[in-house]
Amino acid sequence: MSPVLDTRALNRATLARQLLLDRADLPVPDAVAHLCGLQAQEPQEPFLGLWSRLRAFDPAVLSDLLTGRRVVRTHLMRRTVHLLAADDALAWRARHDAMLRQRAVGAYRRELDGVDLDELAAAGRALIADGEPRSMAELGRALAERWPGPGPRALGEVLVAALIPMVQLPPRGLWRVRAGVRNVPLASWLGRDIAPGDPAGTDAAGQALVRRYLAAYGPAAVADIRAWSGLAGLPAAVAAIRAELVTFRDERGRELIDLPDAPRPDPDTPAPVRFLPAFDNAILGYHDRGRIIDDAHRGLSVAGERVVLVDGRAAATWKVEAGTVTVAPLRRFSRAERAEVADQGRELASFLSEGESDRVRVAASSG
Protein backbone atom coordinates (compact mmCIF):
# COMPACT_ATOMS: atom_id res chain seq x y z
CA MET A 1 0.00 0.00 0.00
CA SER A 2 1.19 3.52 -0.75
CA PRO A 3 1.94 5.73 2.26
CA VAL A 4 -0.92 7.98 3.41
CA LEU A 5 -0.45 11.73 3.47
CA ASP A 6 -2.93 13.50 5.73
CA THR A 7 -4.36 16.94 5.02
CA ARG A 8 -1.71 18.75 7.02
CA ALA A 9 1.10 16.94 5.21
CA LEU A 10 -0.44 17.89 1.86
CA ASN A 11 -0.85 21.45 3.07
CA ARG A 12 2.82 21.81 3.94
CA ALA A 13 3.86 20.24 0.65
CA THR A 14 1.65 22.68 -1.24
CA LEU A 15 3.03 25.66 0.67
CA ALA A 16 6.60 24.55 -0.03
CA ARG A 17 5.98 24.02 -3.76
CA GLN A 18 4.08 27.31 -4.01
CA LEU A 19 6.90 29.29 -2.36
CA LEU A 20 4.56 30.13 0.52
CA LEU A 21 6.34 28.28 3.32
CA ASP A 22 9.48 30.38 2.93
CA ARG A 23 9.81 33.35 0.63
CA ALA A 24 12.19 32.40 -2.16
CA ASP A 25 15.25 34.17 -3.53
CA LEU A 26 14.32 33.22 -7.10
CA PRO A 27 14.53 35.77 -9.91
CA VAL A 28 11.06 36.87 -10.97
CA PRO A 29 11.08 35.07 -14.35
CA ASP A 30 12.16 31.84 -12.66
CA ALA A 31 9.36 32.16 -10.11
CA VAL A 32 6.73 32.73 -12.84
CA ALA A 33 8.01 29.65 -14.67
CA HIS A 34 8.18 27.51 -11.52
CA LEU A 35 4.56 28.34 -10.67
CA CYS A 36 3.49 27.42 -14.23
CA GLY A 37 2.18 30.95 -14.51
CA LEU A 38 -0.14 32.98 -12.31
CA GLN A 39 -3.83 33.47 -12.89
CA ALA A 40 -4.18 37.04 -14.05
CA GLN A 41 -7.63 38.07 -15.21
CA GLU A 42 -7.35 40.80 -12.57
CA PRO A 43 -4.23 42.62 -13.85
CA GLN A 44 -2.64 43.59 -10.53
CA GLU A 45 -3.09 40.24 -8.77
CA PRO A 46 0.13 38.58 -10.04
CA PHE A 47 2.13 41.32 -8.34
CA LEU A 48 0.46 40.43 -5.03
CA GLY A 49 1.07 36.75 -5.60
CA LEU A 50 4.77 37.28 -6.22
CA TRP A 51 5.12 39.70 -3.30
CA SER A 52 3.86 36.92 -0.99
CA ARG A 53 6.32 34.43 -2.47
CA LEU A 54 9.58 36.27 -3.14
CA ARG A 55 12.03 38.12 -0.95
CA ALA A 56 12.56 41.77 -1.86
CA PHE A 57 10.13 41.57 -4.78
CA ASP A 58 10.30 44.67 -6.99
CA PRO A 59 7.12 45.08 -9.06
CA ALA A 60 9.01 47.10 -11.66
CA VAL A 61 10.88 43.92 -12.58
CA LEU A 62 7.67 42.15 -13.55
CA SER A 63 6.50 45.18 -15.53
CA ASP A 64 9.82 45.17 -17.38
CA LEU A 65 9.41 41.48 -18.17
CA LEU A 66 6.03 42.21 -19.75
CA THR A 67 7.27 45.09 -21.87
CA GLY A 68 10.42 43.10 -22.69
CA ARG A 69 8.26 40.20 -23.95
CA ARG A 70 9.73 37.63 -21.55
CA VAL A 71 6.34 37.04 -19.90
CA VAL A 72 2.92 37.35 -21.52
CA ARG A 73 -0.74 37.60 -20.57
CA THR A 74 -2.79 35.06 -22.51
CA HIS A 75 -5.72 32.67 -22.23
CA LEU A 76 -4.52 29.19 -21.35
CA MET A 77 -5.27 26.95 -18.37
CA ARG A 78 -9.03 26.59 -17.84
CA ARG A 79 -9.52 29.26 -20.56
CA THR A 80 -8.59 31.93 -18.02
CA VAL A 81 -6.03 34.70 -18.47
CA HIS A 82 -2.64 33.69 -17.07
CA LEU A 83 0.66 35.47 -16.77
CA LEU A 84 3.15 33.02 -18.26
CA ALA A 85 6.79 32.77 -19.19
CA ALA A 86 6.98 33.41 -22.93
CA ASP A 87 8.69 30.05 -23.52
CA ASP A 88 5.90 28.22 -21.71
CA ALA A 89 3.16 30.02 -23.61
CA LEU A 90 4.74 28.95 -26.90
CA ALA A 91 5.38 25.38 -25.73
CA TRP A 92 1.95 24.76 -24.17
CA ARG A 93 -0.50 26.61 -26.40
CA ALA A 94 -1.04 23.86 -28.98
CA ARG A 95 -1.71 21.30 -26.23
CA HIS A 96 -4.54 23.51 -24.96
CA ASP A 97 -6.11 24.28 -28.36
CA ALA A 98 -8.89 21.70 -28.26
CA MET A 99 -9.85 22.55 -24.68
CA LEU A 100 -9.91 26.29 -25.37
CA ARG A 101 -12.11 25.80 -28.41
CA GLN A 102 -14.46 23.43 -26.59
CA ARG A 103 -14.92 25.76 -23.63
CA ALA A 104 -15.31 28.92 -25.67
CA VAL A 105 -17.81 27.32 -28.02
CA GLY A 106 -19.64 25.80 -25.06
CA ALA A 107 -20.14 29.25 -23.58
CA TYR A 108 -21.70 30.50 -26.85
CA ARG A 109 -23.15 27.33 -28.31
CA ARG A 110 -26.50 28.87 -29.23
CA GLU A 111 -25.01 32.04 -30.70
CA LEU A 112 -22.46 30.13 -32.80
CA ASP A 113 -24.88 27.56 -34.16
CA GLY A 114 -24.19 27.24 -37.87
CA VAL A 115 -20.91 29.19 -37.79
CA ASP A 116 -17.96 27.38 -39.36
CA LEU A 117 -15.23 27.97 -36.78
CA ASP A 118 -12.41 27.34 -39.23
CA GLU A 119 -13.83 30.02 -41.53
CA LEU A 120 -14.20 32.36 -38.56
CA ALA A 121 -10.60 31.75 -37.52
CA ALA A 122 -9.37 32.38 -41.07
CA ALA A 123 -11.31 35.63 -41.27
CA GLY A 124 -9.90 36.66 -37.89
CA ARG A 125 -6.33 35.96 -39.01
CA ALA A 126 -6.86 38.00 -42.16
CA LEU A 127 -8.18 40.88 -40.09
CA ILE A 128 -5.24 40.98 -37.68
CA ALA A 129 -2.60 40.46 -40.38
CA ASP A 130 -2.01 44.22 -40.40
CA GLY A 131 -0.45 43.94 -36.92
CA GLU A 132 -2.78 46.49 -35.32
CA PRO A 133 -3.73 45.68 -31.70
CA ARG A 134 -7.48 45.26 -31.25
CA SER A 135 -9.92 44.65 -28.44
CA MET A 136 -12.34 41.74 -28.44
CA ALA A 137 -15.15 44.17 -29.18
CA GLU A 138 -13.34 45.64 -32.18
CA LEU A 139 -12.66 42.20 -33.61
CA GLY A 140 -16.25 41.15 -33.03
CA ARG A 141 -17.72 44.25 -34.65
CA ALA A 142 -15.49 43.86 -37.70
CA LEU A 143 -16.56 40.25 -38.21
CA ALA A 144 -20.22 40.83 -37.38
CA GLU A 145 -20.72 42.21 -40.89
CA ARG A 146 -20.11 38.69 -42.20
CA TRP A 147 -21.67 36.82 -39.24
CA PRO A 148 -24.40 39.09 -37.88
CA GLY A 149 -26.20 36.35 -35.96
CA PRO A 150 -23.83 35.60 -33.04
CA GLY A 151 -23.18 39.24 -32.13
CA PRO A 152 -19.81 40.97 -31.63
CA ARG A 153 -19.24 39.70 -28.08
CA ALA A 154 -19.41 36.01 -28.98
CA LEU A 155 -17.32 36.44 -32.13
CA GLY A 156 -14.62 38.48 -30.40
CA GLU A 157 -14.31 36.27 -27.35
CA VAL A 158 -14.17 33.01 -29.29
CA LEU A 159 -11.46 34.43 -31.55
CA VAL A 160 -9.26 35.80 -28.76
CA ALA A 161 -9.81 33.13 -26.12
CA ALA A 162 -9.74 30.08 -28.35
CA LEU A 163 -9.35 30.21 -32.11
CA ILE A 164 -6.27 32.43 -32.45
CA PRO A 165 -3.41 32.39 -29.91
CA MET A 166 -3.31 36.00 -28.71
CA VAL A 167 -1.62 38.06 -26.00
CA GLN A 168 -2.79 41.13 -24.13
CA LEU A 169 -0.38 43.97 -24.77
CA PRO A 170 1.16 46.25 -22.16
CA PRO A 171 0.33 48.65 -20.62
CA ARG A 172 -2.38 46.17 -19.61
CA GLY A 173 -0.95 44.30 -16.61
CA LEU A 174 1.77 46.77 -15.66
CA TRP A 175 2.22 47.78 -12.03
CA ARG A 176 -0.27 50.44 -10.87
CA VAL A 177 -1.45 51.04 -14.44
CA ARG A 178 -5.05 50.92 -15.61
CA ALA A 179 -5.40 50.03 -19.26
CA GLY A 180 -7.85 48.29 -21.53
CA VAL A 181 -7.21 45.01 -23.31
CA ARG A 182 -5.54 45.18 -26.71
CA ASN A 183 -4.70 41.88 -28.40
CA VAL A 184 -2.12 40.80 -30.96
CA PRO A 185 -1.07 37.30 -32.08
CA LEU A 186 1.21 35.49 -29.65
CA ALA A 187 3.74 34.43 -32.28
CA SER A 188 4.09 37.87 -33.82
CA TRP A 189 4.50 39.55 -30.42
CA LEU A 190 7.27 37.15 -29.43
CA GLY A 191 8.80 36.80 -32.88
CA ARG A 192 8.77 33.02 -32.57
CA ASP A 193 6.46 30.27 -33.73
CA ILE A 194 4.19 28.35 -31.41
CA ALA A 195 5.42 24.80 -30.86
CA PRO A 196 3.38 22.43 -33.06
CA GLY A 197 1.25 19.64 -31.70
CA ASP A 198 2.71 16.20 -31.26
CA PRO A 199 2.09 14.24 -34.49
CA ALA A 200 3.83 11.16 -33.13
CA GLY A 201 1.15 10.73 -30.48
CA THR A 202 3.57 10.60 -27.55
CA ASP A 203 2.11 13.78 -26.00
CA ALA A 204 5.48 15.14 -25.00
CA ALA A 205 3.85 18.47 -24.11
CA GLY A 206 1.36 16.73 -21.83
CA GLN A 207 4.12 14.83 -20.08
CA ALA A 208 6.05 18.06 -19.54
CA LEU A 209 2.92 19.69 -18.13
CA VAL A 210 2.46 16.87 -15.63
CA ARG A 211 6.05 17.13 -14.43
CA ARG A 212 5.86 20.89 -14.13
CA TYR A 213 2.52 20.75 -12.33
CA LEU A 214 3.80 18.27 -9.78
CA ALA A 215 6.89 20.39 -9.12
CA ALA A 216 4.65 23.34 -8.23
CA TYR A 217 1.54 21.63 -6.81
CA GLY A 218 2.24 18.00 -5.91
CA PRO A 219 1.54 15.53 -4.48
CA ALA A 220 -1.70 15.50 -6.41
CA ALA A 221 -4.33 13.29 -8.00
CA VAL A 222 -4.92 13.11 -11.74
CA ALA A 223 -8.22 14.91 -11.08
CA ASP A 224 -6.24 17.80 -9.58
CA ILE A 225 -4.10 18.09 -12.71
CA ARG A 226 -7.26 18.12 -14.80
CA ALA A 227 -8.85 20.81 -12.61
CA TRP A 228 -5.77 23.03 -12.88
CA SER A 229 -5.21 22.68 -16.61
CA GLY A 230 -8.71 22.13 -17.91
CA LEU A 231 -7.32 19.29 -20.02
CA ALA A 232 -9.12 15.96 -20.09
CA GLY A 233 -6.45 13.88 -21.81
CA LEU A 234 -3.61 13.93 -19.32
CA PRO A 235 -4.12 10.47 -17.76
CA ALA A 236 -2.28 9.06 -20.79
CA ALA A 237 0.62 11.45 -20.15
CA VAL A 238 0.66 10.36 -16.51
CA ALA A 239 0.72 6.72 -17.56
CA ALA A 240 3.66 7.38 -19.87
CA ILE A 241 5.82 8.80 -17.07
CA ARG A 242 4.48 6.74 -14.19
CA ALA A 243 7.78 4.88 -13.77
CA GLU A 244 9.40 8.23 -12.89
CA LEU A 245 6.89 8.99 -10.14
CA VAL A 246 6.18 7.98 -6.56
CA THR A 247 2.68 7.36 -5.24
CA PHE A 248 0.81 8.11 -2.03
CA ARG A 249 -2.78 8.00 -0.81
CA ASP A 250 -4.75 10.78 0.79
CA GLU A 251 -7.08 10.24 3.74
CA ARG A 252 -9.96 9.52 1.33
CA GLY A 253 -7.95 6.80 -0.38
CA ARG A 254 -7.30 8.72 -3.61
CA GLU A 255 -4.05 7.95 -5.36
CA LEU A 256 -1.61 10.86 -5.34
CA ILE A 257 1.38 11.04 -7.66
CA ASP A 258 4.54 13.06 -7.19
CA LEU A 259 8.11 13.64 -8.28
CA PRO A 260 10.41 11.53 -6.11
CA ASP A 261 12.74 14.32 -4.97
CA ALA A 262 10.20 17.13 -4.57
CA PRO A 263 9.86 18.70 -1.10
CA ARG A 264 7.39 17.15 1.33
CA PRO A 265 8.07 18.98 4.60
CA ASP A 266 7.32 17.69 8.07
CA PRO A 267 3.62 18.36 8.74
CA ASP A 268 4.60 20.21 11.94
CA THR A 269 6.69 22.76 10.04
CA PRO A 270 5.47 26.24 11.08
CA ALA A 271 3.65 28.11 8.32
CA PRO A 272 3.79 31.92 8.27
CA VAL A 273 0.86 34.19 7.51
CA ARG A 274 0.51 34.85 3.80
CA PHE A 275 -1.83 37.21 1.95
CA LEU A 276 -2.99 35.69 -1.36
CA PRO A 277 -4.37 37.55 -4.37
CA ALA A 278 -7.73 36.86 -5.97
CA PHE A 279 -8.00 33.55 -7.84
CA ASP A 280 -4.60 32.31 -6.66
CA ASN A 281 -3.72 28.94 -8.13
CA ALA A 282 -2.47 27.72 -4.74
CA ILE A 283 -6.21 27.23 -4.15
CA LEU A 284 -7.70 26.94 -7.63
CA GLY A 285 -5.03 24.53 -8.85
CA TYR A 286 -6.76 21.50 -7.33
CA HIS A 287 -9.97 19.56 -7.67
CA ASP A 288 -9.84 18.74 -3.96
CA ARG A 289 -8.98 22.07 -2.32
CA GLY A 290 -9.38 20.70 1.19
CA ARG A 291 -5.62 20.79 1.72
CA ILE A 292 -5.75 24.59 1.94
CA ILE A 293 -9.36 25.77 2.33
CA ASP A 294 -12.32 24.39 4.29
CA ASP A 295 -15.31 23.16 2.28
CA ALA A 296 -17.47 25.76 4.01
CA HIS A 297 -15.34 28.51 2.46
CA ARG A 298 -14.66 26.89 -0.92
CA GLY A 299 -16.90 29.37 -2.70
CA LEU A 300 -14.61 32.23 -1.75
CA SER A 301 -11.92 30.88 -4.05
CA VAL A 302 -14.06 31.22 -7.16
CA ALA A 303 -15.77 34.47 -6.14
CA GLY A 304 -12.63 36.59 -6.40
CA GLU A 305 -12.11 36.99 -2.67
CA ARG A 306 -8.54 37.53 -1.57
CA VAL A 307 -7.70 35.23 1.34
CA VAL A 308 -5.22 35.20 4.20
CA LEU A 309 -3.46 31.96 5.08
CA VAL A 310 -2.97 31.40 8.81
CA ASP A 311 -1.18 28.21 9.78
CA GLY A 312 -1.29 27.37 6.08
CA ARG A 313 -5.06 27.51 5.65
CA ALA A 314 -7.52 30.11 4.41
CA ALA A 315 -8.56 31.82 7.63
CA ALA A 316 -9.62 35.30 6.55
CA THR A 317 -10.43 37.49 3.57
CA TRP A 318 -8.82 40.84 2.90
CA LYS A 319 -9.32 43.97 0.82
CA VAL A 320 -8.08 47.52 0.66
CA GLU A 321 -10.41 50.30 1.80
CA ALA A 322 -9.31 53.94 1.80
CA GLY A 323 -5.67 52.91 1.77
CA THR A 324 -6.11 50.49 4.67
CA VAL A 325 -5.65 46.72 4.40
CA THR A 326 -8.79 45.35 6.04
CA VAL A 327 -8.87 41.73 7.22
CA ALA A 328 -12.10 39.82 7.96
CA PRO A 329 -11.38 36.58 9.89
CA LEU A 330 -13.28 33.42 9.01
CA ARG A 331 -12.55 31.90 12.42
CA ARG A 332 -11.38 33.03 15.84
CA PHE A 333 -7.73 34.08 15.95
CA SER A 334 -5.44 33.60 18.88
CA ARG A 335 -3.64 36.69 20.14
CA ALA A 336 -0.43 35.55 18.44
CA GLU A 337 -2.22 34.87 15.14
CA ARG A 338 -3.90 38.25 15.23
CA ALA A 339 -0.56 39.96 15.81
CA GLU A 340 1.10 38.08 12.94
CA VAL A 341 -1.77 38.90 10.58
CA ALA A 342 -1.51 42.57 11.53
CA ASP A 343 2.27 42.60 11.04
CA GLN A 344 2.03 41.01 7.60
CA GLY A 345 -0.89 43.30 6.73
CA ARG A 346 1.24 46.35 7.52
CA GLU A 347 3.95 45.08 5.20
CA LEU A 348 1.37 44.53 2.47
CA ALA A 349 -0.11 48.01 2.95
CA SER A 350 3.35 49.51 2.59
CA PHE A 351 3.99 47.49 -0.57
CA LEU A 352 0.69 48.49 -2.15
CA SER A 353 1.15 52.17 -1.32
CA GLU A 354 4.86 52.20 -2.17
CA GLY A 355 5.70 53.12 1.40
CA GLU A 356 3.08 55.82 1.90
CA SER A 357 0.90 53.87 4.33
CA ASP A 358 1.11 50.86 6.61
CA ARG A 359 -2.45 50.99 7.89
CA VAL A 360 -4.15 47.68 8.64
CA ARG A 361 -7.37 46.79 10.44
CA VAL A 362 -8.16 43.26 11.60
CA ALA A 363 -11.89 42.93 12.26
CA ALA A 364 -13.30 41.02 15.20
CA SER A 365 -12.84 37.29 14.82
CA SER A 366 -15.70 35.24 13.47
CA GLY A 367 -17.09 32.51 15.70
Side-chain angles (χ1 to χ4, degrees):
M1 290 290 291
S2 301
V4 174
L5 297 176
D6 64 18
T7 299
R8 190 174 176 90
L10 291 174
N11 174 268
R12 293 314 192 250
T14 293
L15 297 179
R17 313 289 175 91
Q18 285 288 302
L19 313 180
L20 293 167
L21 199 57
D22 291 300
R23 281 189 167 97
D25 288 320
L26 286 174
V28 174
D30 293 355
V32 173
H34 168 76
L35 295 166
C36 303
L38 295 96
Q39 192 155 326
Q41 65 262 50
E42 296 294 335
Q44 297 296 294
E45 300 304 295
F47 293 92
L48 304 178
L50 291 172
W51 174 82
S52 286
R53 289 170 163 93
L54 300 180
R55 292 190 180 95
F57 170 64
D58 180 356
V61 173
L62 182 56
S63 288
D64 288 346
L65 291 170
L66 274 163
T67 56
R69 311 189 189 198
R70 294 184 60 192
V71 301
V72 295
R73 294 171 49 82
T74 187
H75 290 84
L76 202 66
M77 282 77 75
R78 307 185 298 278
R79 201 173 68 91
T80 54
V81 177
H82 275 70
L83 180 80
L84 290 154
D87 289 345
D88 288 341
L90 292 170
W92 296 347
R93 182 53 168 80
R95 186 60 178 82
H96 288 75
D97 276 349
M99 178 272 293
L100 292 170
R101 178 178 288 218
Q102 181 182 35
R103 291 195 174 201
V105 172
Y108 293 105
R109 189 171 304 281
R110 182 178 300 175
E111 292 90 337
L112 294 169
D113 184 38
V115 174
D116 186 306
L117 296 180
D118 292 333
E119 288 185 13
L120 177 60
R125 291 191 187 95
L127 178 63
I128 62 178
D130 60 7
E132 285 296 315
R134 290 177 172 85
S135 68
M136 280 186 182
E138 288 168 338
L139 287 166
R141 286 195 297 269
L143 294 172
E145 297 178 9
R146 180 171 173 183
W147 289 279
R153 179 185 177 88
L155 293 171
E157 184 168 342
V158 169
L159 274 177
V160 170
L163 298 184
I164 303 176
M166 305 280 269
V167 295
Q168 298 182 356
L169 292 189
R172 180 74 169 179
L174 301 184
W175 176 237
R176 295 168 68 89
V177 172
R178 291 179 179 270
V181 178
R182 311 288 288 176
N183 304 284
V184 296
L186 171 63
S188 65
W189 175 246
L190 296 180
R192 289 180 283 160
D193 290 335
I194 295 168
D198 182 11
T202 60
D203 197 10
Q207 294 172 32
L209 277 167
V210 171
R211 295 186 186 98
R212 291 281 296 280
Y213 174 83
L214 293 175
Y217 295 88
V222 171
D224 296 319
I225 305 172
R226 182 169 61 247
W228 164 74
S229 65
L231 300 174
L234 287 174
V238 171
I241 65 169
R242 183 170 284 275
E244 303 173 17
L245 307 177
V246 293
T247 60
F248 302 92
R249 297 278 172 183
D250 66 12
E251 292 174 301
R252 294 164 46 197
R254 295 191 316 160
E255 182 187 61
L256 308 174
I257 55 175
D258 203 7
L259 303 174
D261 298 325
R264 290 179 288 274
D266 188 302
D268 293 327
T269 302
V273 167
R274 292 288 184 257
F275 282 69
L276 295 186
F279 306 113
D280 195 285
N281 277 334
I283 299 175
L284 295 185
Y286 300 95
H287 176 260
D288 182 357
R289 299 170 188 165
R291 67 178 67 196
I292 201 166
I293 191 168
D294 294 345
D295 284 345
H297 303 136
R298 181 184 174 99
L300 297 173
S301 61
V302 295
E305 294 280 358
R306 297 160 164 172
V307 304
V308 184
L309 302 183
V310 180
D311 192 27
R313 299 189 63 78
T317 61
W318 70 275
K319 57 187 175 181
V320 179
E321 297 178 316
T324 300
V325 171
T326 303
V327 178
L330 299 171
R331 61 165 175 81
R332 187 173 297 280
F333 287 168
S334 69
R335 182 175 297 180
E337 288 173 336
R338 190 177 213 37
E340 189 180 358
V341 169
D343 285 345
Q344 193 66 197
R346 279 188 283 272
E347 290 187 27
L348 176 59
S350 180
F351 169 74
L352 292 172
S353 67
E354 297 187 329
E356 294 182 5
S357 169
D358 65 353
R359 296 191 301 272
V360 63
R361 183 175 70 84
V362 182
S365 295
S366 175

